Amino acid sequence: MEISFKETNKRMARFEKAIRQAGVKVTIQRLEIFRVIASSIDHPDVETVYERVRERLPTVSLDTVYRTMWMLLDLGLISTLGASRDRTRFDANMENHHHFVCSRCGLTRDFYSEELDGIKIPESVKDFGSIEKAHLEVVGVCKQCAAKPNPKAQEEDTS
Amino acid sequence: MEISFKETNKRMARFEKAIRQAGVKVTIQRLEIFRVIASSIDHPDVETVYERVRERLPTVSLDTVYRTMWMLLDLGLISTLGASRDRTRFDANMENHHHFVCSRCGLTRDFYSEELDGIKIPESVKDFGSIEKAHLEVVGVCKQCAAKPNPKAQEEDTS
DNA sequence: TCTTAAATAAGAACGATTGTCAATAACATA
DNA sequence: TATGTTATTGACAATCGTTCTTATTTAAGA
Ligand SMILES: [Mn+2]
Ligand SMILES: [Mn+2]
Ligand SMILES: [Zn+2]
Ligand SMILES: [Zn+2]
């Protein structure tokens, strides 16, 4: 919660348009679930969204929240923090470095940049707390995945 | 796998020093598990580390790999990609933005920076694949957590 | 070598997420 | 507006990554 009325409404409008375009039904559950995530600044998990939706829609199931969040993700209306639905991954490189991550297969590689290490972080960030470190996450499609057909291509070329 | 011999050995030396300093036992399992993660460039998950360790130590248990990875994390010898051991979290802000993340409680807030949006990503990154987007993750301690005593303070001031 | 606490392996347990299926509701059509 | 078709929902079982419990083994110091 805490996003401005104006911004929330803009997001709701985008939602209605996208959901109709996708040809899926506009249910009260989907409306309320999206309203919750669209008005949240805290990047909530499914359980938190569930609790907030229940305030207005006490009979909603956790299950429906899960399904709706993944649907919103597919529609490009929301995103996940870090790599979604994955196992914890580890790194023994403790030098200051950055990552390239493939959005299809999760391939992750290190890269270095002196320029990046020296970037200025806006002063306003200090209002959130003290800063320990910063690292850039570059998301793209690795060469191997680029060579394969994208499994997410729903329309067209199914001939 | 694929880290140079020299670098791997440097990491092994750091490991032996840290593990003795921490006063925990140097077991063959810990040694082999660290050797695997220290020589990997692919940021493996626990299952992958487990499989690689089993090649040299067929009786090791998945459990031990889990326990060892968390121990290595506590000792500061490795790190996790993204926020560790957490549920998936969502974001309805689809504008180009960056994040401040509290390393203690996971609080996550958006921030914007035109300067950051214009950063040059090293040419060498394109060797990994095509680039879709980039976002900076600033890790620190939020004000609320800074006000509380750090639960991870093991030594000293337990008086 | 002997002692002792720490670490391991095995398997049960747990918690987040997903699958199954009968009941329900959205929406196109009459 | 009433009806039919089909996607969606809610309940609950199942799955999968991770953690806990316990008996056994082992590292390391005496
Ligand atoms: Mn790395
Ligand atoms: Mn955000
Ligand atoms: Zn890939
Ligand atoms: Zn915090």
Side-chain angles (χ1 to χ4, degrees):
Chain A
M1 310 288 174
E2 286 198 57
I3 296 290
S4 76
F5 227 50
K6 193 177 168 187
E7 176 62 22
T8 301
N9 285 341
K10 194 190 292 179
R11 293 177 182 178
M12 291 304 297
R14 198 181 309 147
F15 164 80
E16 300 232 357
K17 189 177 172 190
I19 204 170
R20 289 222 155 78
Q21 197 160 11
V24 298
K25 292 178 180 175
V26 180
T27 66
I28 183 73
Q29 289 89 341
R30 286 170 174 173
L31 225 33
E32 293 302 328
I33 289 166
F34 186 76
R35 190 193 308 285
V36 163
I37 183 67
S39 61
S40 296
I41 62 160
D42 59 352
H43 307 78
D45 57 27
V46 170
E47 191 77 32
T48 303
V49 171
Y50 174 55
E51 281 158 20
R52 289 178 189 165
V53 171
R54 270 205 299 185
E55 290 171 15
R56 303 178 123 247
L57 216 64
T59 63
V60 76
S61 75
L62 179 59
D63 225 354
T64 295
V65 180
Y66 270 105
R67 274 182 309 226
T68 303
M69 296 309 277
W70 300 135
M71 187 200 72
L72 294 171
L73 191 66
D74 282 346
L75 293 181
L77 291 166
I78 62 175
S79 59
T80 57
L81 290 194
S84 78
R85 31 177 139 190
D86 223 2
R87 303 166 226 190
T88 308
R89 293 174 62 163
F90 299 87
D91 193 347
N93 181 356
M94 302 305 279
E95 289 178 69
N96 199 358
H97 70 280
H98 310 277
H99 288 129
F100 170 87
V101 180
C102 174
S103 58
R104 303 242 182 100
C105 72
L107 171 137
T108 301
R109 291 289 182 274
D110 294 343
F111 71 89
Y112 299 85
S113 163
E114 288 178 21
E115 190 195 346
L116 267 173
D117 295 341
I119 28 177
K120 285 193 286 277
I121 294 164
E123 281 301 310
S124 61
V125 175
K126 296 206 180 91
D127 292 343
F128 296 133
S130 64
I131 294 169
E132 287 172 346
K133 57 191 168 172
H135 111 280
L136 191 76
E137 184 178 83
V138 175
V139 176
V141 177
C142 79
K143 290 191 163 173
Q144 203 160 87
C145 286
K148 298 177 204 162
N150 184 347
K152 213 170 186 175
Q154 303 129 312
E155 322 302 311
E156 326 287 332
D157 72 307
T158 36
S159 65
Chain B
M1 313 286 176
E2 282 199 60
I3 296 290
S4 77
F5 228 47
K6 193 177 167 188
E7 175 63 21
T8 301
N9 286 340
K10 194 191 291 179
R11 292 177 183 179
M12 291 304 295
R14 198 182 306 148
F15 164 79
E16 299 232 359
K17 189 177 170 189
I19 204 170
R20 290 221 153 78
Q21 197 162 12
V24 299
K25 293 181 178 173
V26 180
T27 65
I28 183 73
Q29 288 88 346
R30 285 172 176 173
L31 226 33
E32 292 303 331
I33 290 166
F34 186 75
R35 190 194 308 285
V36 164
I37 181 69
S39 60
S40 298
I41 63 160
D42 60 351
H43 307 79
D45 58 27
V46 170
E47 192 77 29
T48 304
V49 171
Y50 174 56
E51 281 158 19
R52 289 177 190 168
V53 171
R54 271 206 298 186
E55 290 171 13
R56 303 178 123 248
L57 215 64
T59 63
V60 75
S61 75
L62 180 60
D63 217 0
T64 295
V65 180
Y66 270 107
R67 274 183 280 118
T68 302
M69 297 308 277
W70 300 136
M71 187 201 69
L72 294 171
L73 190 66
D74 281 346
L75 293 181
L77 291 165
I78 62 173
S79 59
T80 57
L81 291 193
S84 78
R85 29 175 140 191
D86 226 359
R87 301 168 226 188
T88 309
R89 294 174 62 165
F90 299 87
D91 194 346
N93 180 358
M94 301 305 281
E95 288 178 70
N96 199 355
H97 70 282
H98 311 277
H99 288 129
F100 169 87
V101 181
C102 174
S103 58
R104 304 244 180 99
C105 72
L107 171 138
T108 300
R109 291 290 182 274
D110 295 343
F111 71 88
Y112 299 84
S113 162
E114 288 179 22
E115 190 194 346
L116 267 173
D117 295 342
I119 31 177
K120 286 193 286 276
I121 293 164
E123 282 300 310
S124 63
V125 174
K126 295 205 180 94
D127 292 343
F128 296 131
S130 65
I131 294 169
E132 287 173 347
K133 58 192 166 171
H135 110 280
L136 191 76
E137 183 178 82
V138 174
V139 176
V141 177
C142 78
K143 289 192 163 171
Q144 204 160 84
C145 286
K148 297 178 206 163
N150 185 346
K152 214 171 186 174
Q154 303 130 310
E155 323 301 310
E156 327 284 336
D157 74 306
T158 38
S159 64

